[in-house]
Amino acid sequence: MPPMSFGQGGPQSQWDPWTPQSQQPQQPPSQQPWNSGNSDDTPDWAALAEASEARAKRRRLFFIGGGALATVAIAGAVAVAVVSANGSDQASDGGSSQLPTTAEIPSATATEPSFAPTSAPPPLDPKDFVSSVKKDKAPLSPDLLFPGTQLTMGETVYKKGPTADTRTCGSAAQGTLPKVLDANRCTRLIRVTYTQGDTAVTVGVAVFDTEAQAAKAKKDADKKSIVRSLSGGGVKSFCTGAVCRSTTNSYGRYAYFTVAGFTGAKDVTEKSTGVFRAGDDLAEFAFRQIRRRGEAQASAAAEAG
């Protein structure tokens, strides 16, 4: 009988049931695996335990390494998403200088107002309060309208002289002015005189119930419509027979007139620049005082609500 063969040559198989792609050794169909000579089939439990422990360590290292790589990949994806959300799809050469400033970044705590937007009411018009007797309720007198003892306009100082207040407007006017005042229902005429050297100016403020009446009086007045000059109290008579210069204007329910000339009998000519300037200064001051009267009443009405 020929001798029994136990296989020839080749490396010993390294098959491991826990390792992928390892090959299980092929055995002849009628042949049993060789053993160390033990008659029983008891496995080597110590060897199997060591092999299992080695395989478990390799699996733990694989999972730990794979988890770290996954974390890095996720962090990179989030960073890319954040950059893409705050910029364009193309790369920018500006770097951090192109990032929005702190003032441009909306606050996380900012909320929209819950109330409807409102607009401030329009300011009160001062002229409305001096355009009708129904709204013009502030006290009125020569000293309230022309306060103090002197007036400074630019570099010129005018001394305040006598004042007068009459309810019969025509009696404080001359020429064609009495008829104009009466026709438009003037209710009051306040006068005051200012002097500067030998120049004197009388300002007359005629009071009406409405703005329309004052504007009509201004329109009806002509070159012969002159307020009567007011002298006395140290002011010599003026513009009673000499040539003088006069002006006419209106604001609100007030019409105001000036007559300016020299104290004495001297006539005003085109070269009398001081007289012209004095008449213009007092006409401007009368306008300012009437407007301030309206401003004061508009302010008080606004504060009262």
Side-chain angles (χ1 to χ4, degrees), residues 140 165-173 177-191 204-210 212-218 220 227 253-257:
L140 180 63
D165 188 0
T166 180
R167 303 287 177 170
T168 56
C169 299
S171 64
L177 187 55
K179 183 179 179 180
V180 171
L181 297 178
D182 292 342
N184 291 285
R185 300 182 181 182
C186 174
T187 61
R188 189 175 181 181
L189 183 57
I190 296 174
R191 290 181 296 165
V205 178
V207 185
F208 301 86
D209 287 344
T210 66
Q213 291 173 333
K216 183 67 164 49
K218 172 190 173 182
D220 293 344
V227 66
R253 69 185 188 108
Y254 300 90
Y256 51 99
F257 310 86

Side-chain angles (χ1 to χ4, degrees), residues 38-305:
N38 295 331
S39 60
D40 56 4
D41 295 332
T42 302
D44 188 347
W45 296 109
L48 292 176
E50 291 178 0
S52 177
E53 179 66 22
R55 288 191 296 271
K57 288 182 179 180
R58 287 195 298 271
R59 293 182 65 190
R60 284 197 298 271
L61 291 176
F62 172 78
F63 286 125
I64 292 173
L69 292 175
T71 301
V72 172
I74 293 173
V78 172
V80 172
V82 170
V83 173
S84 298
N86 289 279
S88 62
D89 293 335
Q90 298 178 353
S92 173
D93 295 331
S96 61
S97 63
Q98 300 299 322
L99 295 178
T101 63
T102 304
E104 295 173 346
I105 301 175
S107 173
T109 59
T111 58
E112 294 293 332
S114 59
F115 53 86
T118 58
S119 58
L124 300 176
D125 186 358
K127 190 177 181 181
D128 289 343
F129 289 85
V130 291
S131 294
S132 171
V133 68
K134 295 180 180 180
K135 297 186 70 173
D136 190 9
K137 299 295 186 180
L140 180 63
S141 70
D143 289 334
L144 290 175
L145 198 57
F146 301 100
T149 60
Q150 65 182 30
L151 168 66
T152 302
M153 297 291 287
E155 297 179 355
T156 306
V157 178
Y158 300 95
K159 294 181 180 180
K160 182 180 176 181
T163 62
D165 188 0
T166 180
R167 303 287 177 170
T168 56
C169 299
S171 64
Q174 57 185 357
T176 60
L177 187 55
K179 183 179 179 180
V180 171
L181 297 178
D182 292 342
N184 291 285
R185 300 182 181 182
C186 174
T187 61
R188 189 175 181 181
L189 183 57
I190 296 174
R191 290 181 296 165
V192 61
T193 295
Y194 287 88
T195 61
Q196 197 273 322
D198 62 348
T199 300
V201 182
T202 294
V203 183
V205 178
V207 185
F208 301 86
D209 287 344
T210 66
E211 180 181 11
Q213 291 173 333
K216 183 67 164 49
K218 172 190 173 182
K219 181 181 179 181
D220 293 344
D222 56 25
K223 292 181 179 180
K224 295 182 180 180
S225 300
I226 302 171
V227 66
R228 190 178 297 276
S229 62
L230 181 64
S231 58
V235 178
K236 296 179 181 180
S237 177
F238 66 101
C239 295
T240 56
V243 176
C244 289
R245 190 237 184 177
S246 64
T247 65
T248 301
N249 216 325
S250 69
Y251 183 80
R253 69 185 188 108
Y254 300 90
Y256 51 99
F257 310 86
T258 67
V259 58
F262 296 105
T263 55
K266 185 178 178 180
D267 292 338
V268 174
T269 67
E270 292 181 356
K271 296 181 179 180
S272 305
T273 56
V275 174
F276 280 81
R277 183 177 64 251
D280 291 344
D281 284 347
L282 269 299
E284 174 68 19
F285 182 61
F287 164 73
R288 292 181 184 179
Q289 290 301 98
I290 298 170
R291 185 178 62 183
R292 287 171 182 168
R293 177 179 174 86
E295 292 172 348
Q297 293 183 86
S299 178
E303 292 180 357

